[in-house]
Amino acid sequence: MENVALKKEEIKAINPEQLKKLQDFNAFMDKARLSLGELSIQYEFQKADILSQIAVQQQNISDLEKAIKEEYGDIRINIETGEIVKQEE
């Protein structure tokens, strides 16, 4: 047992194959983290863009509803056909 302990103390580095595997793993993890960061940023930009488009469309529909109400009064519309449905009191 003492002989094994002595040999372990003499070893100053891991073998080249193990070092290569550790370096490859480290490189992979660095690339994976970078990719996740880029995806996260892209997601946030796309999310902000879509939310902005939704806000614009909500304003457009609000303006259209207002114009329709001014022209036709307080009505209901069949969204599939465009027909005016009698407003129930």
Side-chain angles (χ1 to χ4, degrees):
M1 284 261 203
E2 291 178 28
N3 196 10
V4 173
L6 183 60
K7 285 185 179 180
K8 285 183 180 178
E9 290 176 8
E10 292 175 2
I11 298 173
K12 301 289 184 191
I14 62 174
N15 73 49
E17 184 180 320
Q18 291 171 326
L19 176 60
K20 175 75 170 120
K21 286 180 180 179
L22 284 173
Q23 290 171 336
D24 289 347
F25 174 75
N26 193 48
F28 167 80
M29 292 302 290
D30 287 345
K31 287 179 184 178
R33 287 183 191 105
L34 181 62
S35 293
L36 283 174
E38 290 172 354
L39 284 173
S40 179
I41 291 169
Q42 286 177 338
Y43 166 78
E44 291 300 328
F45 279 130
Q46 287 178 346
K47 180 180 170 183
D49 183 47
I50 291 169
L51 289 172
S52 174
Q53 291 176 33
I54 288 171
V56 168
Q57 291 304 318
Q58 285 176 326
Q59 183 60 50
N60 290 343
I61 195 69
S62 179
D63 293 344
L64 179 59
E65 287 172 342
K66 183 179 177 185
I68 289 171
K69 188 173 184 176
E70 286 175 1
E71 187 171 340
Y72 299 99
D74 193 15
I75 60 168
R76 291 180 52 209
I77 302 168
N78 179 326
I79 196 74
E80 293 175 8
T81 65
E83 292 180 90
I84 296 173
V85 180
K86 290 185 178 179
Q87 182 73 339
E88 296 176 14
E89 299 290 324

